[in-house]
Amino acid sequence: MFRSLPTAAAAAACLACALPAAAQFQKPEDAIKYRESVMFVMANHLGRIGAMVQGRVPYDAAVATQNAEIVATMSHLPWPAFAESTPGSGKGKASSKIWSDRAKFDEAARKMQDEVAKLVVAARTNSLDNVKSAFGSVGQACKGCHDNFRNQ
Amino acid sequence: MFRSLPTAAAAAACLACALPAAAQFQKPEDAIKYRESVMFVMANHLGRIGAMVQGRVPYDAAVATQNAEIVATMSHLPWPAFAESTPGSGKGKASSKIWSDRAKFDEAARKMQDEVAKLVVAARTNSLDNVKSAFGSVGQACKGCHDNFRNQ
């Protein structure tokens, strides 16, 4: 049942420009569920690379690359779902700082996307050392945003 | 913050072969949350195409294609998360029939992937008529699987 994908991934780039968030999500809870779903899937696939980086599973260059590419696709998706003021409540949820310091949040998001793009490049070199280095930078980008924009 | 993606999407094709499900999901609830997250994201992006098909938003060929490509990426992801017997409980959740009639479930999943691949092709023709036709087939494939393998 598992086939190769037909082609290139979608560039989510313009989705946010093409439609206002209100048109993409009928209710604030839909936006919250969407971004949390994207983050969960992204974390899962990052985790599969992390398991190789940490030596918990054998390094497999093809699998690492496949996972990095999925992470890259996901890295472009959640941002429109932060477009309205829809903070979460409770630990680990979206902080209201996202909307009070949007430029900083956008920059942190961009940093994550850039580091994930580098992870894809690193994975394609088939070098675990390259993957380890790039993975560390992705982790720092994730943490940098979470420290500032997730409820502690 | 919205950039074009670096390259092709990941082929999730071999992920399921490369690692047993137990290695991908530490707990059954992780597998359930993962597959439900994937389905939610997929449904959201299908819905954006559906809005064009139904005339609720203007047809934009590029946006339709971007969304179809995201759906195609997602269409390859959830299956390893059904690999263990982890039925859900309650309406709309995964039925135990998935594990008692796995071959039929796999065939339904394959059908959905095939129809989504055709939707990507249709979207790239920049013809709303083609998108409408392919979207209808995707909807039938979704419904066919949901009717049989989701709790009613």
Side-chain angles (χ1 to χ4, degrees), chain B residues 17-68:
Chain B
C17 324
L19 291 174
Q24 293 177 18
F25 303 102
Q26 293 188 335
K27 296 173 292 185
E29 50 266 40
D30 288 346
I32 293 172
K33 185 173 178 182
Y34 174 87
R35 70 198 188 206
E36 290 184 353
S37 294
V38 168
M39 293 292 190
F40 188 79
V41 173
M42 184 158 50
N44 181 282
H45 290 277
L46 263 181
R48 299 186 200 186
I49 302 172
M52 295 183 207
V53 165
Q54 294 158 9
R56 287 186 281 116
V57 304
Y59 173 57
D60 182 314
V63 172
T65 301
Q66 289 161 358
N67 279 293

Side-chain angles (χ1 to χ4, degrees), chain A residues 31-85:
Chain A
I32 293 172
K33 185 174 178 182
Y34 174 88
R35 70 197 188 207
E36 290 185 352
S37 295
V38 168
M39 292 292 190
F40 188 79
V41 173
M42 185 157 51
N44 180 282
H45 289 278
L46 263 181
R48 298 185 201 186
I49 302 172
M52 294 184 206
V53 165
Q54 294 157 11
R56 286 185 282 116
V57 302
Y59 173 57
D60 182 314
V63 173
T65 301
Q66 288 162 358
N67 279 294
E69 290 175 336
I70 294 170
V71 173
T73 296
M74 305 308 289
S75 77
H76 291 264
L77 301 186
W79 318 115
F82 290 103
E84 310 246 335
S85 183

Side-chain angles (χ1 to χ4, degrees), chain A residues 5 7 10 76 110 113 124, chain B residues 1 3 5 7 10 76 124:
Chain A
L5 285 179
T7 49
H76 291 264
R110 193 177 300 116
Q113 291 178 315
R124 290 186 182 146
Chain B
M1 136 174 48
R3 311 265 178 94
L5 286 180
T7 51
H76 290 264
R124 289 185 183 148

Side-chain angles (χ1 to χ4, degrees), chain A residues 104-126:
Chain A
K104 187 175 176 182
F105 176 72
D106 288 353
E107 178 54 33
R110 193 177 300 116
K111 173 76 174 163
M112 183 274 278
Q113 291 178 315
D114 288 348
E115 296 300 345
V116 167
K118 291 177 190 170
L119 177 62
V120 173
V121 172
R124 290 186 182 146
T125 66
N126 297 345

Side-chain angles (χ1 to χ4, degrees), chain B residues 119-130:
Chain B
L119 177 62
V120 173
V121 172
R124 289 185 183 148
T125 66
N126 297 346
S127 154
L128 178 56
D129 282 345
N130 289 348

